[in-house]
Structures are given as C-alpha cells and as structure tokens.
Amino acid sequence: MIKKIIYGLLSIVVSIFFINTITFFLIEIIPGESYDLSYIRSEAVVKNIEEKYELNKPIGYRYVKMLKNTYTFDFGNSFLSEGRSVNSIIKEHFPISAKLGALTIIYSFILGVIIGIVTSRYKILKKISFIYFVIMISIPNFILAAILQYFLCVKLNIFPIIWNDNILNYILPCITLSSYPIVFIAKLTCESIEEVNKMDFVLAAKARGIDKKTILFRYVLKNSITSTLSYLGTIIANLLVGSFVVESIFNIPGLGKYFVTYVMNKDYPVVMGLTLFYSILLIVSTYLIDLIVFIKDNKGKKYEILE
Amino acid sequence: MKKSQILFIIIIVCVIVIAGVFFTLRSKDKGIKTADKDTIDVSIASQINALDPALSLTVDIRSILSNMYEGLFNIDDKGNITPGVATEYYSNDEKTIYTFKLREDAKWSDGMPVTAQNFKDGWTRVLNPETASAWSSYLYYIKNAEAYNKGEASAEDLGIEVKDDFTLIVTMEEPCLFFAEMTTIQPYYPVRLDKINEDNQNWDKNSSTQISNGAFRLKEWNNDVDIQLVKNENYWNNQEIKIKNINFLLYSDVTLIQNAYETGTLDFVEYTLTNDEMKQLDEIKFADYPNIRILEFNLDKDIFKDIRVREAINLALNRKEIASFMGEGNNPLLAYIPPNAFKNTYENKDFRADSLAKDYYSEEANIEKAKQLLKEAGYENGEGLPTINYLTNTIGYNVKTAEIVKNQLSKIGVNVQINSLDRNIMQTTRSNGEYDLTTETFLSEFPDISSYLYSFVSNDFSNYAHFNSSEYDEIYAKIISTSDQKEKFELAHKAEEIVLTNQVVVPLYYLKLSYISNDNLKGYIHDVTGCLNFKGAYYE
Amino acid sequence: MKFWSKKNIFIIICLIAILIFLATMGNSPAVEFQNSDLKYSKPSTHHIFGNDSLGRDLFIRIVYATKNAISIALYSILTCVFIATIYGAYAGYASGIAEKIMVMIMNIIGSIPDFLIAIFLMMFFNNIGLKNNNGSLFGIFGTLVIVSWIPVARVIKNETKKIMNNDYILYSKLKGAKFFHIFFHHIIPNIKNTIIILVIQRVPSAIFLEAFLSFIGIGLQPPIPSLGKMISEGIKTARLYPHLLIIPSICLILIILIFNIIGEVLIKKLNDEELKNE
C-alpha cells in the first residue's frame, strides 16, 4: 500500500518534469516573437526588449531557469500584461473557474445519477432517454452555449449578461458544461445498476423481502459508484477543455478565457505557469481518484470475503 | 405509471409552456437609458498591457491614457496645438533649441505641482534602455537620445535641461520644425518618478501610485473587468470638465458588447466591434482620422524586380470593388497619403486637396493595360510568373482583403497564395523578409507628415518593402529638418510621387475611424493621432 | 466467422468508398467565388442557403466544410487507431522493462491536458506556410492523431494483456513465434471488434474537436471552409442574419448525430453477435 503511494508520488514528479520540458520546447518551436513589433522603428529597441525579457539568452540557460521556477512555482511576470505576476493571474482567475467546475461536477453527478436510477427502473424511459442521450452528446457545447446565451440572455433577458459573480451567472455555463457528463454518468449508473441487480447478493436480499428502495441504496449504489468515480477523472479533463469556450461566450473572467491569447502571444511565463498548474491539477486529481477507487475496491474485497 | 404521476407531468409541462409564452410576449423595453448626466461607459479596449506612457502601445489604450494625462501641449482634431501644461514655447531660428514655459498652477491629482523635472523624468524613462519602450525612437529628435537608448551615452548627456521648476529647455539632435507637435503624444507625458519607484512593476494598476495630471485620474482598475476614471479635482482647468466618471469596460465578447450597448449600459463603442457588428445596433459615426491599408512589394525578391510586373498588379485591382466589399466607411485609396490626413499644409488645405496633389490610380481596374504590361515583362497571361506569396495575419478584415485581392489578380493570370499567420508570427515573418507581398496598415501616430513617410527610408526597421533610394532618403532628411512649411509639403508630395511612380506599394483603401455612441453625448474629440478624448464632453 | 457476413462486408465497402470519394473531392472554385452584391443575402432560389459575408454561396461552402470535417475525422481516427493498435499490442505483448517504459510514456504524454497539446501543435502547423494554408489541414490531422492515440492504445494494451494469458499464446511463444506472427494470428482476430468499436466511437469526438478548434480560431484556416469557423462568424452577425448561424449549427449537429447513431447501432449489433457467439 505504502509502496503504491510512493511510486505514485514519484511518477507525479517525473510526469511534471516531462510536461514542463515538452511544453517549453513546444513554445520554442512556435515561430514568432513574444512582443509586439508594431511601433518599433529601430534595432536598438528590439535589443532592449530582448534584454528586458531575457529572450536573448541561450536556450539552455532559459530551460534551466524555467526548471528552477517550477521548483519554486514562481514564473515571474507576464510579458503581455506588464507587471502582472503569473501567480497573481492564477490567484485572481482560478477561483472562478474552480467554482464553475465544482458546480458542474456536483450538478452532473446528482442529475446524472438520478436520471440513471430512474431510467433503470422504467423500461419506456430507457428508450426515450436513449434518444435524448444521443442528441445531447451530438450538440457541441459551444453551440449549446451560443444558443442558450442568445435566447435566454439576449432575447428573453432571464439571465444576466454582465458578470456579477452571483448564482445566476453560473447557471447557464453550468448547464452547458454538464450536458456531456450528465449523459455519460447516467448511462454508467444505469448500466452498473443493471449489472449489480443481476448479482447473487441482490437476489438474496430480494428473496429476504427487503424492499426495493433499501436494496437500491444500500447494496446497488455503493457498488456502482465506483465506476462513476473513475469517470470523474475524465470529466475534470473535459472541463478544462470546455471551460475555454464557455468562459469566452458567457464572458466569465476565469482562467481558460485568456489562455489561448497568452499562447498565441508566446507569453512564456504565463503559458508555462498555467500549463504547469493545469497539469498538476489533472495529475493530482487523477491520482487521488485512482487512490479512492483502489481503497474502495480493497474495502469491497474485504466485505465479500467476510460474507 | 400511476395516474397521479401523469397528472404531475402534465402540470409541469403546462407551467413551462405558459412561462415560455409569457416571457416571449413580454415586450422588452429597449431601455434607452436617460443618460446619467455625468458618467460615460465606453468599450474601446479589452486587453490592456499597461497604462504607462512608456509602455502603452496601441491607440485604444493610449486613448485611455490621453484622458488621464496632459502633455506640454494638447492637439485637437484639426491638428492645432493648444496649451496644455505649457503656456507657450519659443525656439531659435535654426529650430534646434526649444524652450517651454510651464504654467504654475498645473497640479497632479494628489495636489503636487507639475514641474519641468516631471517631464524630464518621463522622457528619460522612455529612453532608458532598461524600460525597453518601443516609443524610444519617437524621442530620437532630442540630442543624444538615440545614443542613450543604445547604451552609448548616459542620462546626463540628454539634451533636456530643467532651468527651473517651470522652464524646460530641449536641445535637438537636428533642426526640427515640429517638436512642439510631438510633445502632444503619449510618450512625452510627464510622470511622477517617486510614485513609479514605489512599485516598479504594478504602479500603473493602483490608484495610490498611478498619479496623473490630466482631466481624469484612475479610481480603480479591475483586471479584465473595467478601468474607472474619475474627474481630477486638481486639474488646472477642471471647471471646464463636465463629466464626472468614465468607465472603460474591458469586454471582449461581441454579443456582450452588443447587448450592453442595446440596453444602454454602454454609451460608446469603438474598436471592439467591426462595422458589420456595429451596424446592427446603431448608425455608425465616423471620425476624420484615416487609416490606410496597403500592400507592400518585397523589392528584394526576383519576382518583383521588373517594375512592369508591379505596375500590372497595381492596375489590375479594382479598388472600388474592394472598398465596397470591405463595407461602409471604406474608400478606395488612389494615392498613398489619404484625404483628411493633414489639414495644415501651407495652403491651409488638406494634403490631398492642395495644388500639388493628384490621383495616381483610378478606381476601376485597367485590365488591358495590366495584361499588356505583363506581356511586355515576358509573362503573357501570367505564364511563367511564379506564385506570389501574400503574407497577412489572421484578423478578419485582412483575410477578407487577401481573398478579394487574390480573386481579382487571378483575372490577369497572376496566382496568389495567401499565407495568413497569427499576428505575432506574421510580424516576425515579415521582419525576416519571408514574403513577396505583405499587408500593411498605416495610421499616423504622431502629428507630422513624416509619420507617413519614414517607413520608406532605407534603413528603417519598418521598411518592409526594402525600398532603397538615396533620392528618397535625402528628401526625407530634408522634410524632417526643414523649417520652411512650404518647402516641407512640396517635398512631401515629391516623396509620395517617388514611392508611387516606383510602384513600391499597392494602395488599396482607407477607412475612417468608426464608432457608435449615445446621441446625447457631445463634445468628445478624436485628435489627429486617433486618441479619443473626453475632456470637453458633456451630455445634452 | 459470423462477422464477415455479406451485409457487414457491404457496409465496410460502402464506408471505404465514401472515404475515397471524399478524399479525392478537391475544393471547387465555387467555394471561393465572391460576389459583393450578394453579401449576406437570405436564402433564395439561386442560392439555396443564402450568402455569407463575402457573397459566397453558403450551400457549397457547407457541403465542402462537411466533407472536410468527415474526411479529416475518418482519416485521423483510422491512422490513430492503426498506430495505437501496434503500440498497444506490443505493450501488451512485452513484459518487464520494455512494457514499463511504454506504459510510462503513455502516462506522461497522456497527463498533459490534450487541449494544450492541440493549441501548440495547431499554432506550429498553421504557420508553416504551405500552399493555401493547407498547413492547417495537416495540422488538424496531426493534432487529432496525437491527441486521441493514447486512450486507444491503453484499451488495446489491456485487451492484449488478457489475450496473452491464453495457453494458446504461451504455446506459440514456446514454439518460437515472433511478435508479428502472434499479432496477426492471435491478437487481431480477438480484438477486432474492440478496434471497430473504438474507431466508431471516436469519430464524433474527432469531428467535434476539429469544429471546436476552428471555432476558437486555431483550426482550419480560411479559405478552407470549416463548420466551426462559420458558426463563430455566424454568432457575431446573428441579430441581422440568423441563417449564417443556424444553418451551419444544424449541419454540424446532424453529422455528429449521424455518426453517433451509426456508432450505437453498430455497437449493439456487435454486442448481440458476441452474445450469440458465447
């Protein structure tokens, strides 16, 4: 058990090292300068700018410096937004993205599990929900976001357009981002409920006369949650992707909205910082989920042995 | 399913339907807000790199700055300079020494007086190689400025002398006729070095360190949300200022801006929407400040060594069609310097309307002549002519222009391959010379005619055409150092003629600055460098 | 083997034919033909879907954009599965250090958020400067392959591992069979269904990813028509010209829907056949 934890932590460190290296060289190969050439009229200015941002140092020097920065998690200041430190950018914008992400996860889980349970009970609903699922998966989230915003915010004025950090602002992006996960969670729940229903100990419980509700909550759900938990990792990864577009459309000042801008402007410090941050998030959350699943599985094993 | 469940579902569906009908039928009041009589909400920029006279680059950010600071002189939309912090100036006959007399009642927003030292501090800071300001070359008129910027001289060598608190004496590197006009642009603003030194990185973001001397001062800057300016009670002319607050809302999403304008949340929109997007909301207004779009030939490439090929391309383009495609507000450009660029020529007329001006191209294409020229050059119907590499960036209007030009040139058999790159990458590619044709946009960033002409000087960084003509260089040198207004503009016309008769560029179209605004808001101006200024604004 | 029934062979041949047809369809000049008088016109008899901001016929652009979307998705997924199968099978076949290294590589590359990789790669490919911005076509193709291959490889590896435990395989190995022999004769027949399911399942997400990247602006570059790009431009002018937004949106939703349905149907069929075989 402890060996597994240590091995896991080590692989996290190694992964981060590789991610940093790969990202660093990926930015290097993108052509272009990290600063705006528009008003520059003399070579001296170019020299001064490169000196200021340390862009004229050899690549080895910058690579080592980047590694050092990773260790202290201080990437310095953005090139594009003069003076703003990368850490302050993350501090300012991440909480909003995190709130949105957390809301989405909670909402998709609750709704997904409920839909999953309901559809596993009624056969008719299963057929209808199948159609609904296929349609919901087929609508790209950015189209859904655009349509929702157009009808509900612009035309009907139900939801606000301007960001005021109140609950109303979060509802529409949450609905958009969760449309995909809800379907998967519902499907997974439904399938695992059906699988568990066929198992012996459920039949035994039914034979003993325990009513459906208790069977559902005590035996069935506990075992099917495991598979949905492992899906959590995928959801988090998808959230990172989906948030870019949803944040731009709903004008949420989260982290994703500006990421593409920073990459396109080759803003080294911010891109390195954000990539590192996202990767750590992803790796750590995947690792934690694996750990939870592992513990659950082992707990379950003990339970079965005892039975 | 049980009966009760069915009933439940039916009730819910009914509620949803009724709600939907109700909301749709409810007439949305357009909300033409009775304007807060003292606040203007503006959408002009969305990505602010810095609010710093040395580091703010683009005209949208500099507009914000021009409401916060005031230079020695101010400039209006006709190109006339009016006293700012300075009341008057005089120079010697050779125009190599300028003396500025400052008013004694000009104050910073914290009450401290504005002194000549503040100006010296600001200009030195711009030229300091460590600041790495792109504007430093615009201060090279000052003696030893270029040397200092290159690290070959020290700050003490600069030709800026603070004779006393209210007298500033500046020595020029070469005779300069228009230095007073230059002092109206943002890099020449005064700064409070003591405040900047309190927080070198972030002084421009906090109202405690961002002390300014203009009509408005910074109240709050919420990153990526808004910049709030409030009237500067210590401004020497603050009786004239009618507006109390200006909020620059940093929206970038098109739908959001459109909706905000429709509901009255925004009073003024400029730059953040395209003309097509603005048209849907309100009638577009135009400011006289022109912006030209041209193509430049890379004269180093073999394909363009023959002047007949270049002329053929110039003649094959139907500028009228291009302008109409690009939309309302775009006009064909038939020379290089557009109309309304400089209204103060020696005849008191617009450059494009004085006695030496003429059109070099016609609006319509001259396909026969173009084909004939190609044939003479040895490329009948474009055979044998290699594909032209057309470099542009990914901004919508540039791509649109590229596609139109490609289409039109195919009519004479010329093949164009569009290479549209992201902005930064395009800039690097352009400065490396890896193109045959490239797009270029010119707007005048300082109030002198040389702003249109410097980029054809041989060793200028922005000479993307790689035009090398000693005749042109001589004329340019004379233009910026002559003290005779008449000679200056005659030479300017000559310079334009050299550029155009040598087919160095392909003028396409020019457009005026477009914006939409609340009709009750009056008194704002766009000065001749395109900066939007609300000093004289008021609501009717 | 039940799978190779006449009907299935027919379906597969049809799909391949569609692929070839799509691939060889070049871009007709009509896609780029501009007419400023027709700017933004509503659907009419001459132009069924109307015209876009440059006066180009929307119908033709949608046809070509759809063709691009489908062919890019199909090509990239096929390539991706091809590479991933070989990699995954070898990872399942190998043991010891070789396997550990291969798994580690998969984990490391897989832990970089794939959107980041997509942005970097697209920025690189978009700016190579090939003819008519075809660099972006190649870029999307490469990006989709790189981003999708790891999950596929993982599944293949797990399946292979299960097969490797077969006595059959151990016997073959004893007899001296090398990797490729085992690969073709034992592994492939058993994971055939899995591969097909993987391909089908990933096509809709490939279409989505391409539309998504183009929507943001770093996908297919003009003048190559792309549904995502058309939608992003349609949003901006939605008030006055809704047809520029609605029509591409419906089209995109439809093709993703069709592939999803094909996927579900095929999966059901394959599962039913497997159950029948058991």
Side-chain angles (χ1 to χ4, degrees):
Chain A
M1 174 74 167
I2 299 204
K3 217 165 137 192
K4 184 166 163 70
I5 294 184
I6 294 185
Y7 182 68
L9 285 174
L10 233 120
S11 64
I12 289 183
V13 172
V14 170
S15 296
I16 292 183
F17 170 74
F18 272 108
I19 291 176
N20 269 2
T21 311
I22 296 178
T23 316
F24 179 81
F25 286 104
L26 275 178
I27 309 181
E28 277 295 314
I29 61 173
I30 300 177
E33 306 293 343
S34 305
Y35 50 89
D36 194 343
L37 283 169
S38 324
Y39 290 87
I40 296 183
R41 283 173 54 197
S42 82
E43 288 285 347
V45 174
V46 172
K47 269 211 206 81
N48 289 339
I49 293 183
E50 294 195 339
E51 185 75 44
K52 177 172 162 188
Y53 294 135
E54 292 194 341
L55 291 170
N56 51 0
K57 295 265 169 46
I59 191 169
Y61 171 89
R62 284 189 285 133
Y63 177 62
V64 170
K65 180 141 191 232
M66 185 274 297
L67 286 180
K68 239 198 309 182
N69 286 341
T70 314
Y71 179 66
T72 56
F73 207 90
D74 173 18
F75 282 95
N77 294 345
S78 154
F79 292 165
L80 192 61
S81 310
E82 293 275 347
R84 272 176 88 181
S85 72
V86 176
N87 290 350
S88 75
I89 294 181
I90 296 182
K91 242 187 266 179
E92 268 179 44
H93 293 306
F94 180 64
I96 300 177
S97 296
K99 246 197 264 185
L100 185 59
L103 264 173
T104 310
I105 294 179
I106 297 176
Y107 179 69
S108 11
F109 257 99
I110 296 181
L111 214 61
V113 167
I114 293 180
I115 296 183
I117 296 180
V118 169
T119 48
S120 68
R121 283 245 258 166
Y122 303 109
K123 290 299 175 196
I124 317 172
L125 278 185
K126 192 145 184 254
K127 293 224 167 81
I128 300 179
S129 63
F130 176 71
I131 303 178
Y132 169 76
F133 286 163
V134 174
I135 295 184
M136 282 315 280
I137 302 186
S138 308
I139 301 185
N141 56 9
F142 53 91
I143 298 188
L144 187 60
I147 294 178
L148 282 179
Q149 199 209 25
Y150 184 65
F151 282 111
L152 295 180
C153 292
V154 178
K155 275 229 133 56
L156 298 181
N157 241 347
I158 306 181
F159 290 99
I161 295 195
I162 303 181
W163 177 260
N164 282 324
D165 207 9
N166 62 10
I167 189 73
L168 279 178
N169 283 114
Y170 283 101
I171 294 186
L172 283 185
C174 193
I175 297 182
T176 316
L177 280 175
S178 55
S179 64
Y180 205 76
I182 286 185
V183 167
F184 271 99
I185 296 181
K187 258 206 212 167
L188 274 175
T189 319
C190 182
E191 278 166 20
S192 64
I193 288 183
E194 285 184 356
E195 254 189 55
V196 172
N197 264 338
K198 294 191 195 127
M199 285 202 197
D200 291 335
F201 66 94
V202 175
L203 288 175
K206 275 200 194 148
R208 267 186 279 169
I210 306 182
D211 71 310
K212 274 195 179 162
K213 228 200 219 168
T214 331
I215 302 181
L216 187 67
F217 284 111
R218 226 190 279 173
Y219 299 109
V220 171
L221 267 187
K222 278 218 190 105
N223 287 298
S224 46
I225 292 276
T226 318
S227 45
T228 35
L229 265 183
S230 31
Y231 184 64
L232 191 58
T234 328
I235 297 189
I236 295 184
N238 282 338
L239 274 183
L240 290 179
V241 173
S243 72
F244 293 122
V245 144
V246 167
E247 283 176 11
S248 327
I249 294 188
F250 290 108
N251 216 64
I252 305 175
L255 215 45
K257 182 172 172 209
Y258 303 103
F259 184 73
V260 181
T261 320
Y262 284 119
V263 173
M264 299 230 255
N265 281 295
K266 283 188 72 163
D267 195 342
Y268 278 91
V270 177
V271 175
M272 292 305 305
L274 282 187
T275 313
L276 182 64
F277 185 70
Y278 275 134
S279 310
I280 292 184
L281 263 184
L282 204 58
I283 296 177
V284 168
S285 53
T286 323
Y287 177 66
L288 279 177
I289 293 173
D290 279 346
L291 211 59
I292 295 179
V293 170
F294 180 69
I295 295 179
K296 260 207 149 257
D297 274 348
N298 283 348
K299 239 177 38 182
K301 283 210 185 103
K302 259 198 266 179
Y303 193 74
E304 275 182 12
I305 293 177
L306 282 178
E307 272 241 317
Chain B
M1 279 200 276
K2 304 193 205 133
K3 257 211 197 134
S4 55
Q5 285 175 328
I6 300 179
L7 195 59
F8 185 60
I9 292 181
I10 292 181
I11 292 182
I12 296 215
V13 170
C14 283
V15 168
I16 294 180
V17 168
I18 293 177
V21 171
F22 172 70
F23 277 120
T24 325
L25 285 185
R26 182 188 75 174
S27 56
K28 197 165 68 102
D29 48 31
K30 264 310 175 97
I32 302 190
K33 168 175 95 156
T34 28
D36 281 23
K37 294 294 177 188
D38 58 8
T39 304
I40 314 180
D41 294 296
V42 187
S43 166
I44 195 174
S46 50
Q47 168 76 32
I48 312 281
N49 64 331
L51 270 185
D52 183 335
L55 299 174
S56 296
L57 269 188
T58 45
V59 65
D60 46 1
I61 304 176
R62 285 187 284 120
S63 292
I64 303 181
L65 222 47
S66 73
N67 287 296
M68 293 165 61
Y69 285 83
E70 190 179 47
L72 288 171
F73 285 93
N74 293 318
I75 196 157
D76 66 9
D77 49 352
K78 306 273 185 300
N80 302 315
I81 60 171
T82 54
V85 177
T87 48
E88 57 171 358
Y89 78 96
Y90 43 89
S91 60
N92 58 357
D93 283 330
E94 298 84 28
K95 304 284 184 203
T96 50
I97 302 186
Y98 277 78
T99 310
F100 295 94
K101 281 256 171 260
L102 277 57
R103 70 181 62 248
E104 307 197 0
D105 55 342
K107 290 209 176 34
W108 291 94
S109 49
D110 63 352
M112 302 278 284
V114 181
T115 63
Q117 183 64 37
N118 295 137
F119 283 93
K120 179 165 183 188
D121 289 339
W123 301 1
T124 312
R125 182 167 177 265
V126 170
L127 288 168
N128 188 342
E130 281 175 23
T131 317
S133 162
W135 291 103
S136 22
S137 19
Y138 293 79
L139 272 68
Y140 282 179
Y141 305 100
I142 303 174
K143 192 176 181 64
N144 287 328
E146 187 169 359
Y148 173 50
N149 191 238
K150 286 197 172 133
E152 295 158 9
S154 74
E156 285 79 43
D157 301 327
L158 285 176
I160 314 172
E161 185 197 330
V162 175
K163 181 149 165 236
D164 58 59
D165 271 350
F166 302 107
T167 314
L168 188 67
I169 305 183
V170 190
T171 315
M172 302 286 113
E173 185 80 23
E174 280 175 7
C176 178
L177 187 65
F178 52 95
F179 188 68
E181 279 83 353
M182 289 303 290
T183 64
T184 60
I185 65 174
Q186 286 70 41
Y188 283 87
Y189 285 161
V191 297
R192 286 285 297 276
L193 209 52
D194 54 324
K195 290 293 175 185
I196 296 181
N197 287 335
E198 275 179 35
D199 183 359
N200 233 312
Q201 295 295 334
N202 288 306
W203 70 273
D204 54 337
K205 302 177 179 50
N206 301 313
S207 53
S208 53
T209 43
Q210 167 84 274
I211 304 291
S212 53
N213 70 328
F216 300 90
R217 63 175 175 82
L218 180 73
K219 175 168 161 218
E220 220 178 294
W221 176 1
N222 299 315
N223 274 323
D224 302 314
V225 178
D226 62 10
I227 295 179
Q228 297 175 17
L229 300 187
V230 78
K231 180 172 165 182
N232 178 4
E233 300 299 337
N234 284 315
Y235 180 55
W236 62 270
N237 202 9
N238 74 341
Q239 272 86 347
E240 302 289 317
I241 313 296
K242 309 269 184 323
I243 300 291
K244 285 230 181 65
N245 301 294
I246 311 180
N247 296 326
F248 292 96
L249 299 169
L250 306 176
Y251 298 151
S252 54
D253 182 56
V254 170
T255 323
L256 183 57
I257 300 176
Q258 285 178 328
N259 198 67
Y261 187 80
E262 243 187 11
T263 54
T265 312
L266 275 178
D267 299 303
F268 205 105
V269 178
E270 185 172 279
Y271 296 122
T272 45
L273 291 181
T274 64
N275 282 5
D276 285 337
E277 291 156 9
M278 285 198 269
K279 206 164 48 174
Q280 304 168 25
L281 303 169
D282 197 354
E283 202 184 312
I284 302 183
K285 303 192 176 85
F286 293 99
D288 266 344
Y289 178 66
N291 185 340
I292 66 171
R293 306 250 168 89
I294 65 171
L295 303 177
E296 295 198 18
F297 292 109
N298 185 346
L299 297 170
D300 285 342
K301 296 280 180 178
D302 289 332
I303 188 178
F304 289 134
K305 290 275 192 226
D306 191 336
I307 191 176
R308 289 172 293 201
V309 174
R310 310 202 296 270
E311 194 177 351
I313 291 182
N314 253 320
L315 290 174
L317 290 178
N318 185 338
R319 292 171 171 80
K320 191 159 159 210
E321 187 185 60
I322 298 181
S324 114
F325 249 130
M326 296 311 294
E328 190 190 349
N330 294 285
N331 306 306
L333 180 62
L334 307 174
Y336 175 61
I337 297 183
N340 288 321
F342 291 97
K343 296 218 195 90
N344 277 329
T345 74
Y346 61 103
E347 290 174 1
N348 224 2
K349 291 199 195 125
D350 181 43
F351 183 87
R352 211 62 275 134
D354 69 19
S355 45
L356 291 172
K358 65 178 190 199
D359 284 343
Y360 290 82
Y361 301 104
S362 64
E363 275 187 3
E364 309 274 346
N366 191 342
I367 304 271
E368 290 86 45
K369 180 131 185 259
K371 282 194 176 157
Q372 188 202 344
L373 279 168
L374 263 189
K375 189 166 162 192
E376 282 173 25
Y379 302 111
E380 178 156 3
N381 283 326
E383 276 170 38
L385 191 68
T387 308
I388 297 181
N389 183 334
Y390 178 132
L391 175 67
T392 180
N393 58 27
T394 50
I395 303 183
Y397 55 75
N398 278 329
V399 175
K400 205 167 163 182
T401 311
E403 294 181 345
I404 300 169
V405 167
K406 175 180 164 132
N407 215 319
Q408 289 188 350
L409 286 181
S410 63
K411 296 197 180 113
I412 59 169
V414 174
N415 259 334
V416 170
Q417 170 209 331
I418 303 178
N419 193 3
S420 77
L421 308 175
D422 293 324
R423 203 167 133 272
N424 277 36
I425 305 176
M426 182 260 186
Q427 284 178 343
T428 309
T429 315
R430 192 168 57 175
S431 56
N432 288 339
E434 293 160 5
Y435 54 90
D436 296 324
L437 263 182
T438 179
T439 47
E440 179 66 293
T441 304
F442 276 127
L443 9 85
S444 175
E445 70 272 28
F446 59 89
D448 185 75
I449 194 140
S450 54
S451 65
Y452 273 98
L453 301 171
Y454 65 70
S455 54
F456 298 111
V457 174
S458 305
N459 59 353
D460 195 287
F461 196 78
S462 55
N463 184 350
Y464 296 121
H466 304 163
F467 183 53
N468 211 318
S469 155
S470 49
E471 187 192 0
Y472 185 88
D473 292 351
E474 274 171 31
I475 292 186
Y476 178 78
K478 273 238 202 72
I479 290 179
I480 59 173
S481 59
T482 180
S483 32
D484 179 348
Q485 190 84 330
K486 179 163 193 260
E487 186 188 9
K488 179 170 183 157
F489 280 94
E490 281 173 358
L491 288 172
H493 276 289
K494 189 88 188 15
E496 185 189 45
E497 187 180 344
I498 295 180
V499 169
L500 291 176
T501 48
N502 277 309
Q503 313 289 339
V504 177
V505 298
V506 179
L508 292 177
Y509 57 93
Y510 70 95
L511 53 141
K512 296 195 192 170
L513 219 158
S514 52
Y515 61 94
I516 45 177
S517 71
N518 186 336
D519 289 325
N520 294 327
L521 180 62
K522 306 242 191 281
Y524 53 86
I525 61 161
H526 288 92
D527 68 24
V528 289
T529 57
C531 286
L532 173 62
N533 199 297
F534 289 111
K535 217 163 53 179
Y538 58 93
Y539 278 103
E540 267 182 345
Chain C
M1 295 206 260
K2 223 27 184 322
F3 179 68
W4 297 109
S5 67
K6 274 214 187 112
K7 192 156 161 231
N8 288 330
I9 297 183
F10 180 66
I11 294 180
I12 293 179
I13 293 184
C14 275
L15 278 176
I16 297 182
I18 294 179
L19 249 185
I20 298 180
F21 173 67
L22 288 177
T24 51
M25 227 162 87
N27 266 330
S28 106
V31 175
E32 307 185 16
F33 182 73
Q34 301 158 11
N35 190 338
S36 67
D37 300 323
L38 291 173
K39 244 164 57 156
Y40 289 124
S41 27
K42 293 254 158 83
S44 61
T45 41
H46 201 156
H47 296 271
I48 318 178
F49 282 164
N51 299 71
D52 69 0
S53 61
L54 280 179
R56 295 179 286 206
D57 180 25
L58 197 63
F59 177 68
I60 287 256
R61 300 210 86 214
I62 294 229
V63 166
Y64 277 92
T66 319
K67 160 245 174 187
N68 279 338
I70 298 181
S71 58
I72 290 177
L74 284 174
Y75 269 136
S76 56
I77 295 300
L78 283 176
T79 319
C80 160
V81 170
F82 180 72
I83 298 178
T85 310
I86 299 184
Y87 188 93
Y90 192 77
Y93 166 85
S95 53
I97 296 193
E99 181 199 354
K100 278 222 169 66
I101 292 183
M102 293 185 86
V103 169
M104 209 166 56
I105 295 180
M106 277 203 301
N107 282 340
I108 288 176
I109 301 187
S111 53
I112 306 181
D114 50 3
F115 184 58
L116 267 51
I117 302 186
I119 300 185
F120 290 128
L121 285 176
M122 284 314 297
M123 287 202 61
F124 178 64
F125 283 117
N126 275 346
N127 296 304
I128 299 185
L130 295 179
K131 181 169 148 63
N132 266 340
N133 278 329
N134 280 344
S136 59
L137 259 178
F138 184 70
I140 287 265
F141 170 75
T143 308
L144 284 175
V145 169
I146 294 182
V147 155
S148 331
W149 77 276
I150 292 187
V152 178
R154 280 215 185 105
V155 171
I156 304 263
K157 171 190 169 259
N158 289 339
E159 293 289 316
T160 319
K161 263 268 171 313
K162 283 190 207 156
I163 300 176
M164 291 301 289
N165 283 331
N166 249 323
D167 294 330
Y168 220 95
I169 310 281
L170 293 170
Y171 183 60
S172 292
K173 268 173 121 170
L174 272 177
K175 276 193 31 187
K178 294 276 174 63
F179 168 67
F180 275 110
H181 177 89
I182 300 186
F183 182 64
F184 281 115
H185 284 122
H186 302 296
I187 302 184
I188 295 274
N190 281 313
I191 61 175
K192 216 192 333 250
N193 283 352
T194 323
I195 296 183
I196 294 182
I197 294 181
L198 279 171
V199 169
I200 304 284
Q201 269 185 340
R202 303 207 79 90
V203 169
S205 34
I207 300 180
F208 168 74
L209 195 58
E210 182 271 315
F212 181 73
L213 288 174
S214 303
F215 181 83
I216 306 180
I218 57 174
L220 290 177
Q221 300 294 321
I224 304 178
S226 156
L227 286 172
K229 190 97 204 193
M230 288 198 262
I231 296 177
S232 81
E233 284 173 9
I235 290 184
K236 295 191 188 142
T237 49
R239 279 150 196 263
L240 286 185
Y241 314 112
H243 68 286
L244 290 178
L245 170 63
I246 298 181
I247 299 180
S249 308
I250 295 184
C251 197
L252 183 61
I253 297 179
L254 275 181
I255 51 171
I256 299 185
L257 188 63
I258 291 178
F259 274 99
N260 271 330
I261 293 183
I262 296 180
E264 294 286 328
V265 167
L266 257 170
I267 291 178
K268 250 206 173 150
K269 253 192 134 237
L270 286 174
N271 280 342
D272 288 343
E273 281 194 18
E274 258 192 42
L275 284 174
K276 258 196 266 176
N277 282 344
E278 274 176 16

